């Protein structure tokens, strides 16, 4: 393997449309509400969190994905726990 190949091994580009699988847990900030449902935005992907407690906007939370549509980059997740606050 060339020196450049060794240097670049494991590198990849991040996407603005990450995808998730049902059952996957992730940590994200709840950024607002859509039609009264809390939403986490990860890049251009939106995850709706219907069971999020009120007052959690701008909080870092742990979520468990329940469904995800990779063609639309939208999904739904269960609220697991609050893990932090925003630095704003």
């Amino acid at each position: 393997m060339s020196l450049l190949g060794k240097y670049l091994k494991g590198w990849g580009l991040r996407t603005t449309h990450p995808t998730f699988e049902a059952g996957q847990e992730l940590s994200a900030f709840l950024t607002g509400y859509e039609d009264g449902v809390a939403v986490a935005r990860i890049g251009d992907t939106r995850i709706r969190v219907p069971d999020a407690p009120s007052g959690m906007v701008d909080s870092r939370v742990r979520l468990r994905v329940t469904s995800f549509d990779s063609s639309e980059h939208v999904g739904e997740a269960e609220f697991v726990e609050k893990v932090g606050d925003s630095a704003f």
Side-chain angles (χ1 to χ4, degrees):
M1 179 179 280
S2 72
L3 181 60
L4 180 60
K6 289 179 183 179
Y7 180 74
L8 296 176
K9 184 177 179 179
W11 281 39
L13 298 175
R14 289 189 336 181
T15 177
T16 61
H17 293 99
T19 59
F20 302 98
E21 298 291 327
Q24 183 176 352
E25 288 196 6
L26 56 116
S27 177
F29 281 98
L30 293 180
T31 59
Y33 292 93
E34 288 180 358
D35 300 323
V37 177
V39 175
R41 295 178 192 278
I42 304 160
D44 292 331
T45 295
R46 292 183 336 274
I47 307 286
R48 295 171 50 89
V49 189
D51 66 341
S54 62
M56 288 286 170
V57 171
D58 294 332
S59 296
R60 187 172 202 80
V61 297
R62 183 169 317 284
L63 306 172
R64 184 175 303 113
V65 176
T66 55
S67 65
F68 191 80
D69 180 345
S70 59
S71 64
E72 295 292 323
H73 306 287
V74 295
E76 196 163 291
E78 301 172 330
F79 176 84
V80 176
E81 66 180 337
K82 179 179 176 180
V83 294
D85 291 312
S86 171
F88 303 122

